[in-house]
């Protein structure tokens, strides 16, 4: 990586800011960004109709394996054709059920100021979820995830205002036994953050534990808790054409509890899905829509969203690829279909790169632009993801937050306002051919808010940057991440609630946690 | 830059391909990409009208300094109000003249297979132009540009099919005297490439030399040469509100010779332009439209395009920033205005970063997406730009070409086709719940062209990437650039034409080249 990158050390601008004490960076305030641009729509009206028909034919003629007795009984009662676990449903039933799902809904975490709106043009970003491994510049190698690493990433998720929700384990802490892992991590998440959290649907005990812990953390009665969504689950189908037992169990439990429901088939074109994007999207939709229908039978009006994870493999090696041109178009196509079905949509910030370098950024940029262009409402894995989701990295997390801030600033209509003051005719007339606009009153009145201010980009010229240590982006991100984690202060929490949470965790551990036979 | 990045060396996948000999990489074929997506349009109809009115008021009430006697006479004859060099023109005149400019036009280089279409939905990409300095991983420091560095970048511009035209000096070769620099570099460009080239408008001798050399290289008579555009010039106004003598001289010469004309004000909001984007865009338009009008008086139907280079400064330091949220919106706004005026548009691929790291990629990505979203037809500086245009880098060039290939693949409608074959119902029915799609006939029939294949991205998992040397993106790009340049073969050229070109250069050098008193 060249002597230029290694010859000197230092934190650069960010390091200086950190050494001054106080807030590590000046960041943008919390807000729910609204994406008012027209989405990019590759499909014609006929194309939308064709993909809809493709998804419906899969549901009507091929069927989905529903590996859950209770769900099978529900579908049977609704008139589905069941053959073993193969479940075929008609398009009238599907469309009637989807019609009951709300176009938008809210989730309210323990801090109501961090309430989220799913839909209505909003685009919300969350941290990387579920990598088994961790990479930081401190060691420069891939390591097995631990609770300490996980906690650091949770702190970053709370710290950055551009991160709206705290998804699954930001790295899977394998130093905690799998039977009690959900208890310790959810305790960390609920005490270190006050943002919307998530539960995996991995068996009834984990889901019931999560429901109870989120209820306790919010200080809700059972009735208050179920009156509106406080958190959510995300399930993945086992593509092609299969929904597994524990995922469906969690899905139905969360539906009954009135909580948020996101279903995201993982359809890698050429592997678990057709090699063609239209075919992969149709398969993905068939798998997600049958889950939405199930939720609507259980609880009409249940808050649902459909996700897309349609990418492609490298046809030479079979390796999954992310942020590709095909990924972008599949995401946009799914966005058109989500609007056709009037459902909120989830997509992701992803890459195949192994380290936080140029490739990592162009792949992540492509996936984030696809999220924006598709009209996605919820963007998973938007900070910290590497190696196709196998690695979480704090440096990548901080780099992604710089990008996310810029994308959120990009959505502010003030940039393109055209009032007389914005048109600045008098300022141009005043300056004329001479001089510049720096000192002008028109400029002075506006300069503090006129432009986005980065916290990680270094805009100094080469010579100034060189004198300051010639620090490349990942190393600047490393210094920032360390400072943020070291100076992190958890959000306020009522001491009684914290004790109740801790007692709950202790009791459930004493009871043996959750089965690990999944 | 971390031990992970430096611990081992090697070319990775690209290096292996290179060592196999033959073509260094498998790249996409030459094509003129068509951007069929609806542009992103932040401005309402009223906003477009307001910015148009703002630009017209600047031309009518404030005026532009026209520092060229001949141009002043032309404007005077057309009824402009001249006060010294201050030139005010009415909106009726401007709109009448702009109405004469073609909505699209072509440029035909010495290899007609590389003819370019400006407009009609095309988006064309060119190399970085005009940096005084050079940065490569080989030295890891900023160096003064030389002819050898310049030639390497010209070779990259010819080699990559995703680069459509060869703009200005890809790095300014300061080991050649300024009086003859244009002769040597244009000789290198015309012999090392067969793509569309450019001339700076820096005094009549340079422009006349360039016209003659491009004519010779194409084997044209004077009449053939002037019958249609073969190359182009790009001029920058001296914002605010000024067009300089040599730029206007070149502009008028190229107009008379029937060649391509691009005018790009460099309006940094908060410095040479108002701090507001609407004001900066209106100023930029006033400066560019008066140049287009001048060309239309000289030669009605002259092939013109307007460029945008509206970005913002860092209000803390005054440093220019690139690829910012404000830059993106200003580019999109200018795109709306270019469509309003029915003129082709130029924008750029830019960044403020000093080295080819993550920041360089996110800033470049933002500017390239702005180019696409704005409906730009010509994208300058799309490969190799660093430090706000002060540095050219071959590693950055190769990284940018990977991005450009992906963006061009992204525009291929095959990705989102919805024929029955694309919908793949039979393939889904055949695979059912079992197995995967790898071995299927539907997949076998399509897998070689179904997905984009990168030449620089490394999609291997961490362990395979680590064993192969753990090579980060810039170093992979470095190895590729070296191999491409080492194995470069210039495009065929008639020996008589080459001699005529060389003789012309020798004669003009003997005559003393061009004055350097600009």
């Amino acid at each position: 990586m060249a002597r230029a990158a290694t010859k000197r050390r230092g934190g650069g601008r960010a390091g200086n800011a950190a050494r001054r004490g106080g807030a590590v960076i000046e960041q943008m305030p919390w807000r729910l960004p609204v994406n008012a641009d027209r989405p990019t729509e590759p499909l014609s009206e006929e194309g939308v109709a064709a993909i809809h028909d493709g998804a419906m034919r899969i549901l009507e003629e091929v069927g989905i394996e529903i590996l859950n007795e209770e769900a099978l009984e529900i579908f049977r009662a609704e008139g589905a054709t069941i053959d073993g676990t193969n479940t075929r449903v008609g398009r009238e039933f599907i469309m009637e059920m989807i019609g009951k799902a709300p176009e938008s809904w809210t989730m309210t975490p323990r801090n109501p100021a961090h309430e989220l709106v799913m839909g209505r043009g909003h685009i919300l970003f969350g941290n990387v979820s579920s990598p088994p491994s961790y990479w930081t510049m401190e060691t420069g190698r891939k390591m097995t995830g631990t609770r300490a690493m996980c906690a650091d990433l949770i702190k970053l998720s709370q710290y950055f205002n551009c991160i709206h929700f705290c998804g699954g384990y930001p790295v899977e802490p394998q130093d905690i036994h799998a039977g009690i892992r959900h208890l310790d991590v959810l305790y960390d998440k609920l005490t270190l953050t006050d943002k919307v959290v998530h539960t995996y649907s991995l068996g009834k005990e984990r889901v019931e534990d999560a429901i109870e812990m989120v209820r306790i953390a919010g200080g809700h009665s059972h009735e208050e808790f179920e009156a509106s969504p406080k958190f959510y689950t995300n399930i993945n189908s086992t593509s092609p054409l299969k929904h597994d037992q524990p995922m469906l169990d969690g899905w139905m439990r969360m539906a009954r509890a009135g909580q948020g429901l996101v279903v995201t088939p993982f359809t890698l074109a050429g592997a678990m899905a057709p090699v063609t994007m239209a075919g992969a999207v149709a398969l993905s939709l068939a798998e997600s829509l049958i889950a939405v229908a199930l939720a609507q039978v259980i609880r009409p009006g249940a808050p649902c969203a459909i996700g897309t994870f349609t990418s492609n493999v490298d046809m030479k090696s079979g390796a999954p690829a992310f942020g590709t041109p095909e990924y972008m178009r599949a995401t946009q196509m799914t966005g058109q279909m989500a609007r056709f079905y009037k459902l909120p949509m989830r997509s992701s910030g992803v890459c195949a790169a192994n380290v936080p370098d140029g490739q990592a950024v162009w792949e992540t940029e492509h996936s984030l632009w696809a999220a924006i262009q598709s009209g996605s409402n919820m963007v998973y894995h938007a900070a910290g993801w590497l190696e196709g989701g196998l690695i979480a990295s704090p440096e990548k997390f901080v780099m992604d937050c710089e990008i996310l801030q810029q994308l959120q600033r990009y959505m502010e209509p003030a940039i393109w306002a055209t009032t007389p003051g914005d048109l600045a005719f008098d300022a141009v007339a005043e300056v004329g051919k001479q001089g510049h606009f720096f000192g002008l009153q028109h400029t002075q009145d506006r300069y503090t808010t006129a432009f986005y201010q980065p916290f990680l980009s270094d805009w100094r010229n080469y010579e100034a940057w060189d004198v300051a240590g010639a620090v490349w982006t990942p190393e600047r991100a490393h210094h920032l991440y360390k400072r943020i984690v070291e100076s992190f202060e958890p959000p306020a929490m009522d001491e009684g609630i914290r004790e109740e949470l801790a007692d709950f965790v202790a009791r459930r551990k004493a009871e043996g946690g959750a089965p690990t036979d999944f």
Side-chain angles (χ1 to χ4, degrees), chain A:
Chain A
M1 200 59 203
R3 68 205 70 170
T6 47
K7 63 182 177 183
R8 274 158 295 177
R9 293 247 160 196
R13 203 176 258 195
N16 293 334
R19 280 187 289 275
R20 281 197 303 272
V24 180
I25 61 165
E26 286 175 43
Q27 61 173 319
M28 285 165 61
W30 167 272
R31 99 263 316 269
L32 303 190
V34 173
N35 175 11
D37 289 326
R38 266 195 312 217
T40 301
E41 304 204 314
L43 294 175
S44 64
E45 220 172 287
E46 296 71 34
V48 170
I51 291 184
H52 169 59
D53 186 61
M56 293 300 117
R57 285 190 67 198
I58 291 170
L59 289 170
E60 290 173 335
E61 301 174 42
V62 183
I64 308 287
E65 303 302 308
I66 298 291
L67 304 183
N68 181 292
E69 273 305 320
E70 194 183 349
L72 278 175
E73 282 314 308
I74 290 170
F75 281 119
R76 199 187 315 269
E78 294 292 323
T81 306
I82 315 273
D83 179 7
T85 54
N86 179 275
T87 304
R88 286 181 288 142
V89 292
R91 66 184 71 198
E92 295 73 21
F93 165 73
I94 286 285
M95 294 304 283
E96 187 197 334
M97 289 303 117
I98 289 167
K100 296 177 193 285
E103 280 191 60
S104 72
W105 38 280
T106 59
M107 286 189 279
T108 315
R110 70 176 176 93
N111 177 357
H114 286 164
E115 178 170 284
L116 302 182
V117 179
M118 280 284 286
R120 299 211 304 267
H122 291 90
I123 180 166
L124 310 169
F125 298 91
N127 59 282
V128 60
S129 301
S130 312
S133 299
Y134 192 80
W135 186 97
T136 169
M137 293 194 80
E138 208 156 340
T139 62
R141 57 187 175 79
K142 187 173 175 177
M143 294 177 290
T144 300
T146 66
R147 186 175 184 177
M149 296 168 185
C150 183
D152 277 0
L153 294 170
I154 291 171
K155 288 172 186 171
L156 293 177
S157 304
Q158 172 68 13
Y159 179 82
F160 280 104
N161 292 325
C162 61
I163 299 295
H164 299 99
F165 59 94
C166 197
Y169 305 151
V171 68
E172 180 105 23
Q174 289 153 82
D175 55 347
I176 311 176
H177 187 273
I180 58 167
R181 192 174 294 160
H182 65 291
L183 296 166
D184 282 341
V185 177
L186 196 53
Y187 179 84
D188 289 349
K189 279 163 85 169
L190 289 170
T191 52
L192 294 174
T193 88
D194 59 6
K195 296 181 180 177
V196 164
V197 298
H198 148 280
T199 180
Y200 290 103
S201 282
L202 285 175
K204 71 173 180 176
E205 292 81 2
R206 286 180 184 78
V207 175
E208 295 294 345
D209 286 346
I211 287 175
E212 191 58 8
M213 289 176 72
V214 173
R215 185 191 68 77
I216 293 168
H220 301 297
S221 68
H222 290 276
E223 194 179 15
E224 283 166 356
F225 179 77
E226 297 200 2
S228 68
K230 307 296 185 296
F231 79 135
Y232 72 99
T233 192
N234 177 81
I235 68 164
N236 308 113
S237 42
T238 306
S239 304
L241 300 169
K242 205 183 289 178
H243 278 291
D244 280 337
Q245 146 64 24
M247 292 272 184
L248 285 172
D249 180 88
W251 182 260
M252 292 187 290
R253 261 172 225 287
M254 289 287 278
R256 285 198 194 90
Q259 301 304 302
L261 300 162
V262 184
V263 52
T264 311
F266 183 30
T267 41
L268 270 186
M272 316 86 118
V275 73
T276 46
M277 289 301 119
V281 169
L283 175 64
S284 174
L285 289 168
E287 294 175 3
S288 60
L289 293 177
I290 197 169
V292 173
L294 174 62
Q296 299 305 321
V297 175
I298 291 171
R299 183 172 172 133
C304 291
I306 57 173
T308 173
F309 218 95
T310 298
S311 192
N312 59 283
V313 293
D314 177 356
M315 291 307 290
K316 289 179 182 163
S317 66
F322 294 98
T324 63
E326 293 79 17
Y327 173 96
M328 293 192 71
R329 291 301 190 179
T331 306
Q332 294 167 357
M333 291 157 76
T334 306
Q336 289 188 261
M337 301 310 300
R339 286 187 291 284
F340 176 80
Y341 296 120
K342 296 188 169 38
L343 290 169
M345 171 166 149
R346 171 224 145 158
S347 60
S348 302
V350 288
C351 64
N354 294 309
V355 281
D357 62 356
Q359 179 189 334
V361 173
W362 72 62
E363 291 175 337
T364 300
E365 280 274 345
H366 293 173
S367 62
L368 292 175
W369 279 106
I372 292 172
Q373 293 159 340
S374 65
S376 290
N377 305 105
M378 179 182 225
V379 188
Y380 250 66
H381 306 304
W385 160 298
L386 285 175
E387 203 204 358
L390 296 176
I391 293 177
S393 157
E395 290 85 4
K396 176 72 165 26
F397 198 112
V398 171
M399 289 165 64
D400 288 338
C401 285
E402 174 63 67
I403 292 171
L404 293 177
Q405 279 210 159
Q406 295 197 30
L407 297 180
Q408 292 177 33
R409 163 66 179 168
Y410 165 86
M411 293 176 198
E412 289 177 19
I415 304 178
W416 57 90
T418 55
T419 68
D422 294 301
L423 286 162
F425 176 80
D426 294 339
V428 172
E430 186 181 341
V431 169
K433 65 181 175 180
Q434 306 298 346
H436 52 69
F437 290 75
F438 275 123
L440 219 60
Q441 193 59 44
H442 181 269
T443 305
Q444 293 300 313
D445 290 344
R446 291 166 176 82
Y447 84 94
T448 54
T449 57
F451 308 135
Y452 173 73
Q453 285 289 336
F455 65 85
L456 183 63
S457 300
D458 194 324
W459 287 350
R460 289 177 295 190
N461 66 21
Y462 188 93
E463 289 71 21
W465 170 83
D466 196 40
V467 163
V471 185
W472 289 43
T473 300
E475 190 169 333
R476 294 203 301 274
H478 178 75
H479 291 288
L480 267 184
Y481 128 70
K482 295 295 283 184
R483 280 288 301 157
I484 291 169
V485 164
E486 280 161 15
S487 63
F488 180 80
E489 287 176 23
M493 182 178 236
D494 179 272
E495 202 44 48
I497 285 179
R498 182 189 306 273
E499 278 169 27
E500 196 181 343
L501 262 186
D503 289 348
F504 179 87
V505 168
R507 176 170 66 78
R508 290 288 297 118
K509 285 185 179 179
E511 290 169 5
T516 53
D517 56 350
F518 49 84

